[in-house]
Each structure stands twice: as C-alpha cells, then as structure tokens.
Amino acid sequence: AMDVRTGERIFPVVSSGPASDPASILADLRSRAMGGTLLVLRHHTIAGQARVPTFEAAQSHVRATVLHDAGQFTESLPHFFESYEADTTYLQPLLGAVIGLGNVDRWSEADSLVALLGERRSEMSRGQQLRFESAASFVSGNHTEALRLHRLLVQEDSALYGGYSLANKALHAGHPAEALEALERVTGVNWEYQFQWLWYWERLAGANHALGRYREALEAAREGKVRFPEFLEIRWREIQALICLGRTEELDPLLSEIERIEPAGNTSPGTMLMWVAGDLLLAGHQDLSIQIAERALEWYRFHDPDSHQSGMAEVLLVADRHQEALGLLLPLVDADPDNIRLRGLM
C-alpha cells in the first residue's frame, strides 16, 4: 500500500491463491490493503508484522485493542479471537489475547495459547518472535526475562516499545527507576486519542511511589484524575500517595467519590476500597484499615455479591477475618482449580 500524496510505501500487502482464480486473489489483496489502512488510521503499528490482516480481522483487532487498553480485558478477548478466526494467518491478536488472559488470571488458557503460538513461531517476524517470547515469559511469571526481551524490542522500534510499554514491563520486574525514565521520555502525546494514555498516569504515579517519591506520585495521580475522572486505578494511586504522606484526614471524601463511580472492566469501587484498606494496614493504620475494609464489604454486598465472591474474600483477609474468607475461597477454588490467584489467597 502506498501514500498517494508522497509515493511512500506504507506497508507491503501479500496475498496468494490459485492461479486459476485471479479474482479471489485480487479480492484478498483489496481486503488486506483495507485492513492495513484501518490499522494505520487507528494508530496501530503494522511495521514488523509478518502479514497484514484482512479488513474483517483488522476491524475485530481494533475493537479488541480499544477494550484492552481501557482495562476491559475480559470484554476484549472475544474480539481478539474473532480477529484470528477471520484471518488465521494473522497472529497479532493471539499475542494480545495471551496478555489479556493473564490479566484476568486465566493462566491455563494463556498457557495453551502460548503453546499454539510456539508451534507457529517460524511464521512470525523477528519483532513478533520477541513479542511472543516476552508474552511467554509473562505467563510463566518470569518478569525479569520479559523485561530483557522487551529491551530488545525497544532497540528494534523505540517509538513503539519504549515509553509506557517499557515502563510497564520494568515495573513488573521491580525496576521502577527504569520505568520512570521511560515514562519521562514520552513527548508529543495526542491527548485526543485518550484511551491509549489511560494507564500512563497510573504507571507514572506507581513508578514514583515505588521510588519513595510520594509528592511526585500524588501530582501524577491528580493530573491523571483530571484527564480520566472515571478511571478508578488513578484515584487509588492518589489515595495511596496521601497515605504515605501521612495525610489520612483527606481520604474520606475521595473514598466517597470512588464509591459513586460505576465499575469498569475488571475493577470496581469495591476493589479500590480493598486496596486502600491494604495500604492503610501496611502503613500501620490498622483501625482505619478495618473501617475501609468494612466499606468495601458493604459495597460488594450491595452490588451483586455473588459476582464478587473473590473480592469479598480478599477484603475479609485484610480485615483479619480468615475463617470467613476461607469459607468463600474453598468453593471458588473447587470450581476453578487452575486459578493461581485464588490458590495464593488460601
């Protein structure tokens, strides 16, 4: 495909088919040219991909990525799989699905996808192979190796794999200074394309927090809250910074604001209250921690408690009510024996 204004080649389009049916080859070429164009228009990179997808596959991939980047990992998964089913030569959506499955603790499914992709490694470009190996390391829990591989991706395309993407891997691997440096190199942000930057402020606050830079963490969280007022995780980062600054008297109105926000993706106000209770406990505020844990339980009880059994169990653990937590966890583990997170809670 070529930019008609400049004559510059944007991306190669490859198709194949029986010589006796040139019309089907042309139709496939047209679909892939449209698919590649859609990805470019929606700010997706297609550099380094072994094959440009068909238009139908590209449409599903864009929908999946929008949901994934907004933290709606469960909702994104059907679209990743639809994209692959529409064009089984296009492996990129399966790489996205591996990360999405890991983010919602569906590790056995993620491991199965890793095995499938491993059998087709020879079909991948060099960049895709590195992405696959990094994703496989993520699934196995080897965040140090995932970061090492991601650094190699940065060497191949710093614009795509540096910045937030590198920072995310560095934070998981316990390298907050590297994460902060990567985030501070981000410039020229297109804030109109907001979902792409939803997590930037949360990670910036998180990197500063891990380095003990609590004032800077608070500033980043509040900047993020201005831009994304419904984003629960950034509000949690604001409260986390205030706790570490010893400003617990400021928490109550902020917690009340969180309780009024609708759940989004895989997080809810109950989750945020639980995290705050845990942060307070770590900071030595046991009585206040228990109060917030009770607020989290109340939120869960009022909002479909059957769907929040694991969240309620975690809150009960924070509140030092271990037997009640165990009563909720046992049937959950029986129903999902491969769930590592649930087993870890026990």
Side-chain angles (χ1 to χ4, degrees), residues 85-346:
E85 289 168 6
D87 182 0
T88 57
T89 70
Y90 183 51
L91 300 179
Q92 204 77 356
L94 293 187
L95 292 169
V98 169
I99 303 302
L101 287 165
N103 285 338
V104 294
D105 297 320
R106 292 164 58 177
W107 297 106
S108 59
E109 294 171 73
D111 196 52
S112 297
L113 268 190
V114 166
L116 171 64
L117 286 164
E119 294 173 358
R120 300 183 62 180
R121 190 178 184 280
S122 62
E123 301 173 38
M124 301 177 191
S125 67
R126 165 66 175 163
Q128 285 177 318
Q129 288 176 356
L130 287 172
R131 275 202 67 196
F132 161 67
E133 291 165 4
S134 180
S137 298
F138 165 74
V139 171
S140 69
N142 190 345
H143 295 296
T144 299
E145 178 64 5
L147 175 60
R148 185 191 71 81
L149 291 162
H150 200 87
R151 288 170 181 153
L152 296 177
L153 282 168
V154 173
Q155 293 176 15
E156 298 229 341
D157 189 339
S158 61
L160 174 61
Y161 295 110
Y164 165 80
S165 187
L166 174 60
N168 195 38
K169 290 290 188 297
L171 277 175
H172 281 299
H175 294 263
E178 182 176 359
L180 184 61
E181 181 183 356
L183 291 168
E184 288 180 341
R185 285 200 299 266
V186 174
T187 57
V189 173
N190 177 11
W191 291 112
E192 294 179 1
Y193 193 58
Q194 286 190 341
F195 77 84
Q196 185 177 7
W197 300 103
L198 186 67
W199 293 91
Y200 171 85
W201 298 103
E202 190 274 335
R203 292 296 187 260
L204 182 60
N208 277 300
H209 181 88
L211 292 167
R213 293 159 48 98
Y214 303 127
R215 293 188 186 281
E216 290 83 355
L218 181 61
E219 290 172 7
R222 286 184 165 168
E223 178 68 19
K225 189 173 76 169
V226 168
R227 297 183 182 279
F228 305 102
E230 301 299 308
F231 184 34
L232 286 164
E233 281 88 342
I234 201 64
R235 288 177 173 270
W236 162 63
R237 286 295 189 188
E238 177 187 19
I239 291 173
Q240 185 186 50
L242 288 170
I243 291 170
C244 290
L245 290 168
R247 293 160 58 178
T248 55
E249 72 280 358
E250 300 178 38
L251 301 190
D252 191 65
L254 300 176
L255 293 169
S256 296
E257 290 175 5
I258 285 177
E259 288 171 319
R260 290 192 290 268
I261 295 175
E262 289 296 316
N266 300 289
T267 56
S268 70
T271 310
M272 298 303 104
L273 291 168
M274 175 185 66
W275 290 358
V276 170
D279 290 329
L280 286 165
L281 189 62
L282 288 173
H285 300 284
Q286 185 172 11
D287 291 344
L288 185 54
S289 172
I290 292 174
Q291 291 176 32
I292 304 306
E294 290 295 338
R295 286 176 71 166
L297 284 171
E298 188 63 24
W299 189 93
Y300 283 132
R301 291 190 185 108
F302 189 74
H303 295 82
D304 190 12
D306 291 341
S307 300
H308 296 290
Q309 294 290 292
S310 64
M312 291 177 69
E314 288 186 74
V315 176
L316 288 167
L317 289 172
V318 173
D320 203 25
R321 293 160 60 177
H322 296 164
Q323 287 303 315
E324 293 175 72
L326 189 61
L328 292 177
L329 286 169
L330 284 173
L332 292 174
V333 171
D334 286 343
D336 189 4
D338 294 327
N339 193 309
I340 297 172
R341 186 179 66 83
L342 290 175
R343 288 190 172 277
L345 293 173
M346 296 182 65

